[in-house]
Amino acid sequence: MDIQMLEKQLKAVADANRLTLLSCLKSGEVCVCDLVDVLGLSQPAVSQQLKKLEEAGIITARKVGTWKHYRLMEEQTPLLQTVLAELEQKDTCQCGTECKAPQ
């Protein structure tokens, strides 16, 4: 791992909100609408936190309708594996119909 990516990952996990997001994502893919409820922040503020985790190569996203769904990357560095192992899994509510793609 290059030093710049290590720096990004360390900065990404050095924030309580981002650690909370990672705790939520341990249970699987979660819609940003549920993460807004967990953090109690505005959707743009939560999206900024998620962007930092995505730029650090820790999470990935896919768009479903107008919402994005986030999940942990399948492959994690040993550093991130250790951090994730220390986090207690936080269960979030499942997406409601408001974030589902139209059929």
Side-chain angles (χ1 to χ4, degrees):
M1 172 185 292
D2 68 32
I3 198 136
Q4 285 81 19
M5 184 54 80
L6 180 60
E7 178 185 27
K8 277 186 175 188
Q9 288 190 339
L10 288 170
K11 284 182 177 181
V13 298
D15 178 87
N17 284 329
R18 290 191 289 273
L19 287 171
T20 300
L21 293 171
L22 291 175
S23 294
C24 294
L25 295 174
K26 283 183 74 168
S27 63
E29 189 173 83
V30 180
C31 178
V32 70
C33 66
D34 290 323
L35 297 173
V36 167
D37 293 339
V38 169
L39 291 183
L41 298 174
S42 69
Q43 187 273 322
V46 173
S47 291
Q48 283 299 313
Q49 298 298 320
L50 290 163
K51 181 179 177 183
K52 290 179 183 183
L53 291 169
E54 197 169 10
E55 288 173 348
I58 301 170
I59 64 171
T60 188
R62 70 181 179 94
K63 195 162 176 135
V64 178
T66 58
W67 295 97
K68 277 193 170 181
H69 291 236
Y70 291 87
R71 63 180 162 77
L72 294 171
M73 296 289 287
E74 289 183 27
E75 302 255 337
Q76 296 289 349
T77 63
L79 169 73
L80 266 294
Q81 290 173 2
T82 302
V83 170
L84 291 169
E86 291 297 317
L87 294 174
E88 185 176 324
Q89 182 174 315
K90 185 175 186 113
D91 293 322
T92 58
C93 60
Q94 297 300 316
C95 293
T97 56
E98 70 275 1
C99 67
K100 299 287 184 197
Q103 299 291 326

